[in-house]
Amino acid sequence: MTVKTITENGHQLTVQILQRTDASGLSYWQARAMFRVANQTARGDVITTSRHASTEAAERAAIRLAGDHGWGRG
């Protein structure tokens, strides 16, 4: 598992990237992002469900999901 913390405009995002292997032996990556919302009073947590071909793709997907769910909006 890889853990990375990103800060943009004072808003922190922690991204965990996990490598998984399916029943056929193929590897893929998924990611989870954790962040604060509602003026830092609540926590958001999103998880990608797609199988990503690289760690970078999984990270981008988690960041996009976090933004869609309130990260960076105060």
Side-chain angles (χ1 to χ4, degrees):
M1 173 174 54
T2 302
V3 178
K4 185 178 193 177
T5 300
I6 300 166
T7 302
E8 285 187 11
N9 299 321
H11 300 280
Q12 193 172 50
L13 177 72
T14 301
V15 180
Q16 295 176 337
I17 303 165
L18 301 145
Q19 182 176 8
R20 309 223 175 193
T21 305
D22 66 14
S24 301
L26 298 174
S27 292
Y28 62 96
W29 289 264
Q30 291 183 315
R32 172 183 182 194
M34 295 144 300
F35 53 97
R36 291 296 207 173
V37 294
N39 293 320
Q40 305 295 321
T41 61
R43 186 178 124 169
D45 198 347
V46 294
I47 300 171
T48 64
T49 56
S50 298
R51 294 174 176 219
H52 299 282
S54 68
T55 58
E56 294 84 5
E59 180 180 325
R60 283 192 308 269
I63 292 169
R64 189 170 40 252
L65 273 174
D68 291 349
H69 288 88
W71 174 62
R73 289 189 222 154

